[in-house]
Amino acid sequence: MSTGVTISSISDYAILGCGSVGYAVAEELVEQGKDVLIIDRDESRVESLRDQDLDARTADIREPEAADLVADRDVVLILASDVESNKRAVEHIREIDDTQFVVARASDPVSGDELEELGADIVINPSSVIAESALRALESGELEYNAGKLARLLEETQERLAIITQDSPDPDSIASAAALQAIAEHLGIESDIIYLGDVGHQENRAFVNLLGIDLVQWDEIEDYSVYDTVTLVDHATRGEMDLPVDIIIDHHEPEEEVEPEFVDIRPNMSSTSTIMTKYIQEFDMNVSEEVATALLYGIRAETLDFKRDTTPADLTAAAYLYPFANHDTLEQVESPSMSPETLDVLAEAITNRDVQGSHLVSNAGFVRDREALTQAASHLLNLEGVTTTAVFGIADETIFLAGRSKDIRINIGKVLEDAYGEMGETAGHSTQASAEIPLGIFTGIEISDDTRDTLLDLTEEAVKRTLFDAMGVEGSNEGSNGN
């Protein structure tokens, strides 16, 4: 149904049944300058409402007379505590007019369905509304408490704060670290963003360079003792660090048992950037263009541009950041130039692809830039009929594998864990994952010019067979390019 006007422009309202809920709504509407007519069968209540200069009349909302009294109103709110009375009121109103916008109060999901069937446009359940309001208040209160505790811990820093990202940090990890660094600066604390691996993916390098985010490589630090406060952001494991961890902020559960003084882990949010945006807001900071752009990109990257596991919190955080972000920079980050190495790896992966059903596995051979495997896996996912990809290559006597999936039936992180978890290291989730497997597990042969081809053949056969088995499909020994 359509009223022909927007709710914001409506000025004529009627409230049928004016208990505590009805009275609260009436007060708010009158405060907004709306014309409100109140109908209630309790004469003393109606008299009291009139004493407050409210337009109130006595009638039983269960009778057709009440519907006649409000026939000229654009919106009718039926808010009595007695649901049966509300049902009769909806029935009588719909007998007269099916264009009025009707809001009706239910007591449970069953009565809500019944009211909708009778013609109510919107059904509200006060107990659900109260529960949602209580949860929002709880979340707000917890965030305020956590922000206070975080501030106190950060302010205890005597020398320098270490903000540790993922070993090879992705946009969410980098953006979250940049946000925490901004919070630390807001509190007058010096800090460094530290990573233990390398920033290999071209998109991530462009992200760091364009936004001017300073990252420090762990092995380049001369004196670790300057860091008297250590934070893990979007990276809930200490890895090779031999420093006590004070703070963890992440949207994934930690891989190892760590007991820092402050923990904020929220698996119900899709990105750590979302969590850090909430802290930026709670600290009432002026977010810089660089940090806003980083956080917005972190949320978009982690949710695949809001197409994967997106929550209302991610959307509200993105909406807050959007006006402050540099969208020209975002466009540059999302379209970095492809290096010759990445192009070579992609070409090799296309040539060597083996497609079984909708699953593609490919051997990219010996690689110098292992992050090129990630880009190749992403590009191959665009092939027609392909929903899951895995591209692997050899570097530093290790087999590196990158997996991607858009098949809701497959958790690629679980697939790689099942395939290689006992022989190497795996990480990831339902749509993207990676694995590192010592080459000797499969071959026991030293890498030399004479053994390169043999190694490639042995590795390809073993890796593909194990992976296709974990995917639940029978791999081809001869290989298929998908034609």
Side-chain angles (χ1 to χ4, degrees):
M1 86 82 185
S2 173
T3 62
V5 291
T6 62
I7 295 300
S8 61
S9 67
I10 292 171
S11 59
D12 295 330
Y13 291 78
I15 295 176
L16 275 59
C18 195
S20 58
V21 174
Y23 180 72
V25 173
E27 267 196 320
E28 181 63 29
L29 289 172
V30 170
E31 183 72 23
Q32 294 178 18
K34 307 297 185 182
D35 180 9
V36 181
L37 170 63
I38 300 171
I39 306 295
D40 197 278
R41 65 180 178 180
D42 188 323
E43 292 186 8
S44 62
R45 184 179 299 157
V46 168
E47 192 63 35
S48 175
L49 293 169
R50 287 175 176 169
D51 289 342
Q52 299 175 60
D53 294 328
L54 293 171
D55 184 3
R57 303 178 197 179
T58 305
D60 190 336
I61 70 171
R62 296 172 296 184
E63 301 299 328
E65 175 197 359
D68 291 333
L69 289 172
V70 300
D72 62 338
R73 299 284 156 160
D74 294 316
V75 179
V76 181
L77 298 103
I78 306 170
L79 303 176
S81 57
D82 178 18
V83 176
E84 291 303 317
S85 297
N86 294 345
K87 291 179 187 177
R88 300 292 76 77
V90 172
E91 282 182 314
H92 295 313
I93 287 170
R94 285 300 178 228
E95 287 171 1
I96 297 174
D97 189 350
D98 64 356
T99 64
Q100 283 179 295
F101 194 85
V102 176
V103 179
R105 173 180 173 178
S107 59
D108 51 52
V110 174
S111 62
D113 291 342
E114 292 171 345
L115 285 163
E116 285 184 350
E117 289 174 5
L118 290 169
D121 294 291
I122 292 179
V123 174
I124 57 173
N125 187 340
S127 57
S128 298
V129 173
I130 292 170
E132 290 173 8
S133 178
L135 289 173
R136 284 196 300 270
L138 177 61
E139 181 180 347
S140 176
E142 284 181 334
L143 181 60
E144 182 180 355
Y145 172 79
N146 281 345
K149 185 176 180 180
L150 177 62
R152 287 192 297 274
L153 272 172
L154 293 176
E155 286 170 343
E156 289 175 4
T157 303
Q158 298 298 313
E159 293 192 59
R160 205 164 186 84
L161 169 69
I163 304 172
I164 313 296
T165 70
Q166 296 174 4
D167 289 355
S168 299
D170 63 10
D172 187 31
S173 188
I174 296 167
S176 301
L180 184 59
Q181 187 172 55
I183 290 172
E185 185 179 350
H186 177 71
L187 298 172
I189 299 155
E190 295 184 345
S191 63
D192 290 323
I193 300 174
I194 301 169
Y195 64 102
L196 279 71
D198 60 291
V199 184
H201 197 298
Q202 289 168 208
E203 196 169 303
N204 297 343
R205 290 198 293 267
F207 179 62
V208 170
N209 294 335
L210 286 168
L211 292 173
I213 300 171
D214 291 326
L215 303 181
V216 179
Q217 217 286 333
W218 174 259
D219 293 333
E220 295 176 1
I221 299 171
E222 295 181 0
D223 182 8
Y224 300 114
S225 66
V226 299
Y227 300 112
D228 49 344
T229 304
V230 176
T231 302
L232 301 183
V233 179
D234 196 44
H235 181 56
T237 175
R238 285 178 295 183
E240 301 172 7
M241 283 192 323
D242 188 23
L243 292 175
V245 176
D246 303 291
I247 297 165
I248 290 180
I249 303 175
D250 205 337
H251 71 115
H252 290 306
E253 294 290 347
E255 297 175 6
E256 61 184 59
E257 195 166 323
V258 183
E259 296 183 357
E261 199 166 340
F262 179 91
V263 178
D264 189 353
I265 296 175
R266 305 191 213 178
N268 62 322
M269 292 191 180
S270 299
S271 72
T272 306
S273 293
T274 300
I275 301 172
M276 295 310 303
T277 301
K278 300 297 182 185
Y279 278 113
I280 291 280
Q281 292 175 284
E282 187 62 35
F283 279 101
D284 197 22
M285 296 167 47
N286 291 322
V287 61
S288 69
E289 180 179 273
E290 293 76 18
V291 171
T293 305
L295 287 170
L296 181 57
Y297 184 62
I299 295 170
R300 286 173 54 176
E302 203 69 6
T303 60
L304 293 183
D305 244 347
F306 310 108
K307 294 190 288 285
R308 176 184 72 196
D309 302 332
T310 307
T311 69
D314 302 315
L315 296 173
T316 56
Y320 167 76
L321 296 166
Y322 190 88
F324 305 111
N326 186 318
H327 299 279
D328 290 336
T329 299
L330 281 173
E331 187 174 343
Q332 288 180 273
V333 170
E334 290 168 343
S335 306
S337 58
M338 184 177 289
S339 70
E341 163 73 1
T342 300
L343 190 59
D344 289 343
V345 169
L346 179 57
E348 194 75 14
I350 291 172
T351 302
N352 296 333
R353 69 192 186 277
D354 185 351
V355 181
Q356 301 294 324
S358 63
H359 309 302
L360 180 153
V361 178
S362 186
N363 180 5
F366 288 88
V367 298
R368 293 188 302 275
D369 180 5
R370 66 194 195 201
E371 287 296 330
L373 299 170
T374 301
Q375 290 175 274
S378 297
H379 281 292
L380 289 173
L381 200 58
N382 294 320
L383 287 177
E384 184 178 357
V386 172
T387 61
T388 303
T389 63
V391 179
F392 62 92
I394 300 172
D396 302 326
E397 299 189 10
T398 301
I399 300 165
F400 294 95
L401 186 148
R404 293 290 183 271
S405 182
K406 56 185 178 183
D407 188 339
I408 61 173
R409 299 167 299 176
I410 282 187
N411 183 322
I412 190 65
K414 180 72 164 53
V415 167
L416 296 194
E417 173 64 25
D418 290 343
Y420 311 115
E422 293 184 0
M423 60 183 78
E425 295 182 8
T426 64
H429 43 69
S430 60
T431 60
Q432 60 185 50
S434 62
E436 297 181 15
I437 311 130
L439 186 58
I441 292 278
F442 287 115
T443 66
I445 300 174
E446 274 191 40
I447 298 176
S448 69
D449 290 340
D450 296 332
T451 62
R452 287 173 68 90
D453 292 340
T454 303
L455 275 171
L456 281 174
D457 291 342
L458 291 173
T459 300
E460 181 169 20
E461 181 182 348
V463 173
K464 284 167 61 174
R465 184 176 62 249
T466 305
L467 187 53
F468 276 130
D469 285 346
M471 288 177 175
V473 297
E474 188 175 339
S476 166
N477 290 328
E478 297 179 0
S480 165
N481 66 7
N483 292 333

